[in-house]
Amino acid sequence: MPTIHLTTFIAAPADRVFDLCRSIELHRKSMAHTGEEAIAGTTNGLIGLDETVTWKAKHLLKIRILKSKIVSMARPLSFTDEMVSGDFKSLRHEHHFKRIDNGTLLIDLFHFETPYGGLGKLVNQLFLTRYMKNLLETRNGMIKDYAETEKWKFILD
């Protein structure tokens, strides 16, 4: 099962970064290039423990629907979401927030497994892992931009 491990430094308090990562609106903005929209469950505001969101977006030339659920949360240290239904065999995204002197380290552990056995593993190696990493980096870049400027107030206030 591939795991993507990203660490992003954000010059902002952990509480702010934690909430921005749970924002449906900011997620939608960061994935605008895919036409991503929340179509069921928690469709705006901040998603919380035991809540679900169903996303619809165009990825890899196809409209895809993925439902995920927040399965654990320890504010402002971590939260984890898991796929309930979608194209993956399994998907688990751990979000960790480490307070440091000048800001927060956002640590993503993104575990996913594709169906189709050996063919799925080949697709992961050739393309999908890089594609998913790029999506996470794009999202984290927007979280960083909002957290480090006054933009966060438009999302969290």
Side-chain angles (χ1 to χ4, degrees), residues 8 27 40 46 53 68 72 80-81 86 88 92 109 125 133 152:
T8 306
H27 183 91
L46 304 180
V53 59
S68 64
S72 69
T80 300
D81 57 272
F88 291 94
R92 178 180 175 89
L109 297 173
Q125 291 174 349
K133 183 178 180 189
W152 69 270

Side-chain angles (χ1 to χ4, degrees), residues 1 83 88-92 111-114:
M1 176 184 316
M83 183 187 76
F88 291 94
K89 186 173 180 182
S90 67
L91 186 150
R92 178 180 175 89
H111 315 276
F112 67 98
E113 188 174 4
T114 51

Side-chain angles (χ1 to χ4, degrees), residues 6 10 14 21 24 28 35 55 64 66 69-70 72 76 81 84 90-92 94 110 116 139 141:
L6 289 179
I10 301 175
C21 287
I24 299 296
R28 186 183 306 116
W55 295 102
R64 301 183 188 271
L66 182 135
K69 179 178 181 177
I70 304 297
S72 69
D81 57 272
V84 174
S90 67
L91 186 150
R92 178 180 175 89
E94 301 173 34
F110 189 86
Y116 312 120
R139 183 173 185 277

